[in-house]
Amino acid sequence: MKILFSGDSFTYGDEIVDNETFRFSRLVCNHFSAEEVNLGENAASNDKIVRNVFEYLSLWDVDAVVIQFSVLSRFDAYRWDTNRWDSITPSDIGGAFDHADSFRKSKAKPYYKYIQDDIVDQQRYYQQVLLLQLYLKQRNIPYVMLQLEDPDYSTHKIHEPNYYKDLCEDFECIIPNLIGPHFTDNFCPDRRAEGFPHLHGTHPNYNGHRIIADHIISKL
């Protein structure tokens, strides 16, 4: 049995020690004695998360797919100098988590100033969800979907009409529904004050990954 996982830093297992052993994808595969294929990438956009699934399944077969959708406002831009896609995030404009090069800044600043808003984010997001759900059903591949950011929770408004959303199957939100209600118990500690700028405590700890894994196992 082989299970494909695609997502952002939650799927990658950022901020936990020995992430390849304790992230939820490994815990799920341990339960099913399955081969783990983890395509999680830090700061990955939903564009990249979906593309990774299509690219992998164009070459190899799997027995199940688990997709963890990311922050809706992220997007991908193609780099002709490297012939690859880069995920662009709001922090690429600047600020505390800014590590962007000139290319990413040149894409982020006009997009977030003139184009991006909740309606644009939701429209693109539900298009991606529906596309992937229909594709996996067509291939008869069982899947579990999770979303990091619940549009209804974060914006308090799903903009209607959204015909793509109406056709999508519902699925669980990691924050706040699964592990958000007890944030300090389920997330890594914020250690920036101790001199570790990248340990900002916004990713699941061992307990959080266990909760996510158990949910996925119950769905598979």
Side-chain angles (χ1 to χ4, degrees), residues 23-198:
R23 61 193 179 190
F24 64 79
S25 59
R26 183 67 260 164
L27 300 177
V28 171
C29 289
N30 286 345
H31 177 85
F32 290 108
S33 298
E35 177 184 349
E36 173 196 21
V37 180
N38 188 310
L39 304 181
E41 298 182 40
N42 288 345
S45 69
N46 289 326
D47 296 328
K48 178 169 289 187
I49 290 166
V50 172
R51 186 185 307 106
N52 283 345
V53 174
F54 277 100
E55 289 181 349
Y56 190 90
L57 293 182
S58 71
L59 298 173
W60 294 284
D61 293 326
V62 300
D63 297 289
V65 174
V66 177
I67 303 99
Q68 174 253 306
F69 287 100
S70 182
V71 178
L72 272 61
S73 57
R74 294 173 176 170
F75 72 100
D76 269 16
Y78 192 75
R79 298 190 66 143
W80 290 101
D81 57 338
T82 59
N83 292 320
R84 63 184 180 89
W85 292 91
D86 270 6
S87 289
I88 312 298
T89 75
S91 63
D92 290 334
I93 295 175
F97 298 109
D98 174 35
H99 302 287
D101 58 19
S102 58
F103 171 83
R104 291 166 66 185
K105 282 186 170 66
S106 71
K107 299 297 182 181
K109 290 181 178 179
Y111 179 80
Y112 291 114
K113 183 175 182 179
Y114 297 111
I115 300 174
Q116 186 268 339
D117 60 27
D118 288 344
I119 299 177
V120 170
D121 289 346
Q122 291 177 14
Q123 184 86 344
R124 186 177 71 251
Y125 171 63
Y126 286 113
Q127 287 174 344
Q128 294 164 330
V129 172
L130 181 60
L131 174 66
L132 201 49
Q133 289 182 347
L134 292 175
Y135 173 71
L136 294 172
K137 288 179 181 178
Q138 183 185 57
R139 293 278 303 266
N140 293 316
I141 300 175
Y143 65 84
V144 176
M145 290 187 175
L146 299 166
Q147 58 186 26
L148 177 62
E149 181 180 63
D150 186 339
D152 190 40
Y153 176 81
S154 61
T155 66
H156 305 290
K157 181 178 176 62
I158 292 291
H159 296 276
E160 302 290 356
N162 190 318
Y163 303 107
Y164 305 105
K165 177 184 181 300
D166 295 341
L167 294 171
C168 290
E169 292 184 345
D170 291 334
F171 52 96
E172 194 68 69
C173 179
I174 296 175
I175 306 174
N177 299 347
L178 283 182
I179 60 176
H182 304 286
F183 195 91
T184 57
D185 295 332
N186 299 322
F187 283 78
C188 295
D190 187 342
R191 299 184 61 193
R192 284 174 291 185
E194 301 173 20
F196 301 95
H198 301 301

